[in-house]
PDB file of all heavy atoms in Angstrom:
ATOM      1  N   GLN A 167      31.272 -43.211 -10.946  1.00 46.00           N
ATOM      2  CA  GLN A 167      31.479 -42.166  -9.944  1.00 46.00           C
ATOM      3  C   GLN A 167      31.441 -40.801 -10.556  1.00 46.00           C
ATOM      4  O   GLN A 167      30.934 -39.854  -9.983  1.00 46.00           O
ATOM      5  CB  GLN A 167      32.914 -42.415  -9.262  1.00 46.00           C
ATOM      6  CG  GLN A 167      32.898 -43.655  -8.373  1.00 46.00           C
ATOM      7  CD  GLN A 167      34.180 -43.920  -7.805  1.00 46.00           C
ATOM      8  OE1 GLN A 167      35.259 -43.403  -8.229  1.00 46.00           O
ATOM      9  NE2 GLN A 167      34.295 -44.727  -6.799  1.00 46.00           N
ATOM     10  N   THR A 168      32.124 -40.623 -11.792  1.00 44.00           N
ATOM     11  CA  THR A 168      32.129 -39.321 -12.410  1.00 44.00           C
ATOM     12  C   THR A 168      30.756 -38.882 -12.774  1.00 44.00           C
ATOM     13  O   THR A 168      30.293 -37.743 -12.639  1.00 44.00           O
ATOM     14  CB  THR A 168      32.967 -39.344 -13.642  1.00 44.00           C
ATOM     15  OG1 THR A 168      34.273 -39.789 -13.316  1.00 44.00           O
ATOM     16  CG2 THR A 168      33.030 -38.009 -14.308  1.00 44.00           C
ATOM     17  N   GLU A 169      29.922 -39.837 -13.248  1.00 45.00           N
ATOM     18  CA  GLU A 169      28.497 -39.621 -13.555  1.00 45.00           C
ATOM     19  C   GLU A 169      27.748 -39.158 -12.416  1.00 45.00           C
ATOM     20  O   GLU A 169      26.886 -38.229 -12.483  1.00 45.00           O
ATOM     21  CB  GLU A 169      27.883 -40.785 -14.274  1.00 45.00           C
ATOM     22  CG  GLU A 169      26.455 -40.545 -14.722  1.00 45.00           C
ATOM     23  CD  GLU A 169      25.877 -41.824 -15.311  1.00 45.00           C
ATOM     24  OE1 GLU A 169      26.576 -42.856 -15.470  1.00 45.00           O
ATOM     25  OE2 GLU A 169      24.652 -41.811 -15.654  1.00 45.00           O
ATOM     26  N   SER A 170      27.889 -39.852 -11.207  1.00 41.00           N
ATOM     27  CA  SER A 170      27.162 -39.499 -10.072  1.00 41.00           C
ATOM     28  C   SER A 170      27.462 -38.036  -9.563  1.00 41.00           C
ATOM     29  O   SER A 170      26.566 -37.350  -9.183  1.00 41.00           O
ATOM     30  CB  SER A 170      27.533 -40.525  -8.924  1.00 41.00           C
ATOM     31  OG  SER A 170      27.160 -41.826  -9.335  1.00 41.00           O
ATOM     32  N   VAL A 171      28.672 -37.728  -9.555  1.00 40.00           N
ATOM     33  CA  VAL A 171      29.096 -36.374  -9.073  1.00 40.00           C
ATOM     34  C   VAL A 171      28.580 -35.306 -10.033  1.00 40.00           C
ATOM     35  O   VAL A 171      28.180 -34.222  -9.581  1.00 40.00           O
ATOM     36  CB  VAL A 171      30.649 -36.299  -8.917  1.00 40.00           C
ATOM     37  CG1 VAL A 171      31.025 -34.882  -8.519  1.00 40.00           C
ATOM     38  CG2 VAL A 171      31.097 -37.265  -7.863  1.00 40.00           C
ATOM     39  N   THR A 172      28.586 -35.653 -11.401  1.00 37.00           N
ATOM     40  CA  THR A 172      28.151 -34.715 -12.373  1.00 37.00           C
ATOM     41  C   THR A 172      26.641 -34.323 -12.156  1.00 37.00           C
ATOM     42  O   THR A 172      26.294 -33.260 -12.404  1.00 37.00           O
ATOM     43  CB  THR A 172      28.365 -35.257 -13.804  1.00 37.00           C
ATOM     44  OG1 THR A 172      29.761 -35.612 -13.920  1.00 37.00           O
ATOM     45  CG2 THR A 172      27.959 -34.280 -14.834  1.00 37.00           C
ATOM     46  N   LYS A 173      25.878 -35.326 -11.671  1.00 39.00           N
ATOM     47  CA  LYS A 173      24.509 -35.093 -11.407  1.00 39.00           C
ATOM     48  C   LYS A 173      24.252 -34.046 -10.346  1.00 39.00           C
ATOM     49  O   LYS A 173      23.221 -33.426 -10.279  1.00 39.00           O
ATOM     50  CB  LYS A 173      23.708 -36.340 -11.035  1.00 39.00           C
ATOM     51  CG  LYS A 173      23.635 -37.330 -12.262  1.00 39.00           C
ATOM     52  CD  LYS A 173      22.980 -38.596 -11.803  1.00 39.00           C
ATOM     53  CE  LYS A 173      22.890 -39.641 -12.967  1.00 39.00           C
ATOM     54  NZ  LYS A 173      22.213 -40.907 -12.537  1.00 39.00           N
ATOM     55  N   VAL A 174      25.247 -33.953  -9.412  1.00 38.00           N
ATOM     56  CA  VAL A 174      25.019 -33.004  -8.313  1.00 38.00           C
ATOM     57  C   VAL A 174      25.327 -31.601  -8.773  1.00 38.00           C
ATOM     58  O   VAL A 174      24.589 -30.708  -8.486  1.00 38.00           O
ATOM     59  CB  VAL A 174      26.041 -33.383  -7.145  1.00 38.00           C
ATOM     60  CG1 VAL A 174      25.970 -32.333  -6.072  1.00 38.00           C
ATOM     61  CG2 VAL A 174      25.739 -34.739  -6.680  1.00 38.00           C
ATOM     62  N   ALA A 175      26.372 -31.335  -9.603  1.00 38.00           N
ATOM     63  CA  ALA A 175      26.670 -30.058 -10.096  1.00 38.00           C
ATOM     64  C   ALA A 175      27.019 -30.071 -11.493  1.00 38.00           C
ATOM     65  O   ALA A 175      28.182 -30.412 -11.848  1.00 38.00           O
ATOM     66  CB  ALA A 175      27.804 -29.440  -9.272  1.00 38.00           C
ATOM     67  N   LYS A 176      26.038 -29.843 -12.405  1.00 38.00           N
ATOM     68  CA  LYS A 176      26.222 -30.130 -13.798  1.00 38.00           C
ATOM     69  C   LYS A 176      26.283 -28.724 -14.545  1.00 38.00           C
ATOM     70  O   LYS A 176      25.359 -27.864 -14.346  1.00 38.00           O
ATOM     71  CB  LYS A 176      25.061 -30.898 -14.373  1.00 38.00           C
ATOM     72  CG  LYS A 176      25.130 -31.189 -15.879  1.00 38.00           C
ATOM     73  CD  LYS A 176      24.005 -32.032 -16.394  1.00 38.00           C
ATOM     74  CE  LYS A 176      24.146 -32.316 -17.819  1.00 38.00           C
ATOM     75  NZ  LYS A 176      23.001 -33.028 -18.313  1.00 38.00           N
ATOM     76  N   MET A 177      27.338 -28.456 -15.343  1.00 40.00           N
ATOM     77  CA  MET A 177      27.506 -27.272 -16.067  1.00 40.00           C
ATOM     78  C   MET A 177      26.888 -27.520 -17.446  1.00 40.00           C
ATOM     79  O   MET A 177      27.239 -28.451 -18.212  1.00 40.00           O
ATOM     80  CB  MET A 177      28.974 -26.885 -16.235  1.00 40.00           C
ATOM     81  CG  MET A 177      29.574 -26.198 -15.032  1.00 40.00           C
ATOM     82  SD  MET A 177      28.932 -24.635 -14.801  1.00 40.00           S
ATOM     83  CE  MET A 177      29.620 -23.715 -16.169  1.00 40.00           C
ATOM     84  N   PRO A 178      25.890 -26.664 -17.828  1.00 42.00           N
ATOM     85  CA  PRO A 178      25.315 -26.766 -19.176  1.00 42.00           C
ATOM     86  C   PRO A 178      26.201 -26.380 -20.262  1.00 42.00           C
ATOM     87  O   PRO A 178      27.167 -25.625 -19.999  1.00 42.00           O
ATOM     88  CB  PRO A 178      24.107 -25.897 -19.117  1.00 42.00           C
ATOM     89  CG  PRO A 178      24.513 -24.802 -18.152  1.00 42.00           C
ATOM     90  CD  PRO A 178      25.420 -25.561 -17.139  1.00 42.00           C
ATOM     91  N   SER A 179      26.003 -26.881 -21.556  1.00 44.00           N
ATOM     92  CA  SER A 179      26.800 -26.504 -22.626  1.00 44.00           C
ATOM     93  C   SER A 179      26.438 -25.001 -23.028  1.00 44.00           C
ATOM     94  O   SER A 179      25.330 -24.570 -22.749  1.00 44.00           O
ATOM     95  CB  SER A 179      26.450 -27.382 -23.865  1.00 44.00           C
ATOM     96  OG  SER A 179      25.046 -27.289 -24.171  1.00 44.00           O
TER      97      SER A 179
END
Side-chain angles (χ1 to χ4, degrees):
Q167 291 176 341
T168 303
E169 180 183 354
S170 299
V171 176
T172 303
K173 291 179 180 178
V174 177
K176 181 180 179 183
M177 281 292 289
S179 57

